[in-house]
Amino acid sequence: MPQLLDTELRQAVEDAAAHLYVWSLKDIPQDLRDALAAAAERETSEPGRRVLSTILRNVEVADDAENLVCQDTGIAVYTCRVGEHFPLHPARIYEALREGTARATLEHPLRSNAVHTLTRENTGPNVGHRLPIVHWEFVDGWDGLDVKCVPKGSGSESMSFLKMCTPAEGVKGIKQFVLESVVGAGGRPCPPGIVGVGIGGSADYAMYLAKEAIARPIGTRNPDPHVAALEDELFGLLNETGIGPMGLGGDVTVLNCHVEHADTHMTLNPVAVNYQCWAARRATAHVAADGGVEFDREA
Ligand code: SF4
């Protein structure tokens, strides 16, 4: 197969990004639909049941009308896994994601949320200085590109917390901080959603890990058995808080709890919490070196 020109491959990535942003906002993954339906089954409080039934109806209406599941189009966040042999430089990939985000916003059209942090003036169609946000991973010996889009609503993103625990506080300190954070957040992050926890690394990396945790399919478990046991324990504890759907009280406060970890300095014990609301939107595009694109709602 002849080598694609940079411009053609760049265009394929831009088109993929434009589609991903809109699609992720409209068509939520099956694991999320299943988790919401299971939550509605197990919720026993009357207000909680009403909230969950309204959420399920909201998803149905969005499907029927091919419209957004929530008005908040969020901040566009992408994670790119770039193969060592993918024939487009990351600088061009970033350009393509930025253009794709702007095009999706103008063409759909979507609400544009991007503002200058100090002046609060709109900076463009969901783009601006360092927007969209792109995280990078590089994969040895591969020639593909995976782009995952996780638009993050402000209600849940505002419920992000970081604590530099001491090593002496240990796992107990981590659990206590996660519980305090979720209880303090109450109904504000539109529960029930996914609680992402990042532990270890440094302050910034712990928060990055918490964001990575919320982007996993619901209920998946960390391959490290110690971390997976912590996920199970936190999931149980968080649902004993009684906060319930939208904070109105009930059995289902979270759909799950995911934890990602990194090794850390011997005198550090960072823990970050990032809440993802019930509208836990995510969608992925697999881009091949020849410009072929496959979309994947479940990754
Ligand atoms: S937190 Fe989520 S569900 Fe709530 S308004 Fe924002 S995007 Fe919508």
Side-chain angles (χ1 to χ4, degrees):
M1 180 158 308
Q3 181 89 26
L4 271 194
L5 291 173
D6 262 20
T7 46
E8 292 172 289
L9 195 51
R10 187 198 165 288
Q11 190 61 48
V13 176
E14 179 184 319
D15 293 346
H19 178 71
L20 268 186
Y21 187 26
V22 175
W23 186 45
S24 64
L25 293 168
K26 288 181 171 181
D27 188 6
I28 58 174
Q30 191 57 47
D31 56 87
L32 175 58
R33 292 165 186 264
D34 294 343
L36 288 166
E41 285 289 310
R42 78 171 190 274
E43 180 56 65
T44 57
S45 93
E46 196 43 46
R49 289 178 73 82
R50 271 205 307 276
V51 166
L52 286 162
S53 132
T54 305
I55 287 175
L56 290 171
R57 177 79 188 115
N58 180 131
V59 173
E60 258 177 43
V61 170
D63 283 343
D64 292 347
E66 295 185 12
N67 213 334
L68 313 184
V69 291
C70 182
Q71 41 71 39
D72 186 354
T73 52
I75 196 163
V77 183
Y78 298 93
T79 300
C80 286
R81 292 179 67 248
V82 191
E84 179 188 1
H85 304 302
F86 187 70
L88 189 66
H89 192 278
R92 302 286 82 73
I93 297 174
Y94 185 79
E95 243 173 47
L97 298 181
R98 186 181 163 87
E99 284 304 308
T101 304
R103 248 180 60 202
T105 304
L106 294 170
E107 286 171 6
H108 187 274
L110 301 172
R111 189 177 87 184
S112 180
N113 303 314
V115 296
H116 185 287
T117 306
L118 295 179
T119 66
R120 313 309 289 182
E121 279 168 22
N122 184 267
T123 54
N126 282 318
V127 295
H129 180 56
R130 296 181 171 164
L131 284 182
I133 295 167
V134 183
H135 300 293
W136 301 94
E137 286 171 38
F138 297 96
V139 184
D140 282 347
W142 184 47
D143 66 353
L145 165 71
D146 287 343
V147 181
K148 181 183 267 193
C149 179
V150 180
K152 195 65 169 44
S154 67
S156 60
E157 186 65 6
S158 294
M159 297 298 107
S160 304
F161 308 96
L162 173 72
K163 184 177 181 188
M164 301 306 279
C165 290
T166 62
E169 289 172 284
V171 182
K172 190 172 169 220
I174 292 172
K175 289 190 272 195
Q176 190 172 333
F177 181 64
V178 174
L179 281 163
E180 281 169 7
S181 300
V182 173
V183 169
R188 284 176 289 175
C190 297
I194 306 166
V195 172
V197 180
I199 51 176
S202 53
D204 57 328
Y205 203 60
M207 188 55 81
Y208 167 75
L209 292 170
K211 296 295 286 282
E212 190 178 290
I214 56 133
R216 277 170 28 198
I218 297 186
T220 48
R221 286 289 171 253
N222 194 294
D224 181 316
H226 299 291
V227 180
L230 180 61
E231 290 175 324
D232 286 338
E233 188 180 354
L234 284 171
F235 180 33
L237 289 170
L238 290 167
N239 275 333
E240 283 172 24
T241 57
I243 294 165
M246 291 295 166
L248 296 179
D251 311 304
V252 185
T253 297
V254 298
L255 298 176
N256 221 301
C257 177
H258 299 163
V259 182
E260 290 291 334
H261 73 117
D263 296 335
T264 189
H265 189 287
M266 62 183 170
T267 62
L268 288 176
N269 187 13
V271 50
V273 176
N274 187 259
Y275 203 106
Q276 176 63 302
C277 58
W278 73 262
R281 300 158 296 188
R282 66 174 206 276
T284 297
H286 306 290
V287 186
D290 66 2
V293 180
E294 275 179 31
F295 291 102
D296 181 350
R297 201 183 54 162
E298 311 307 329

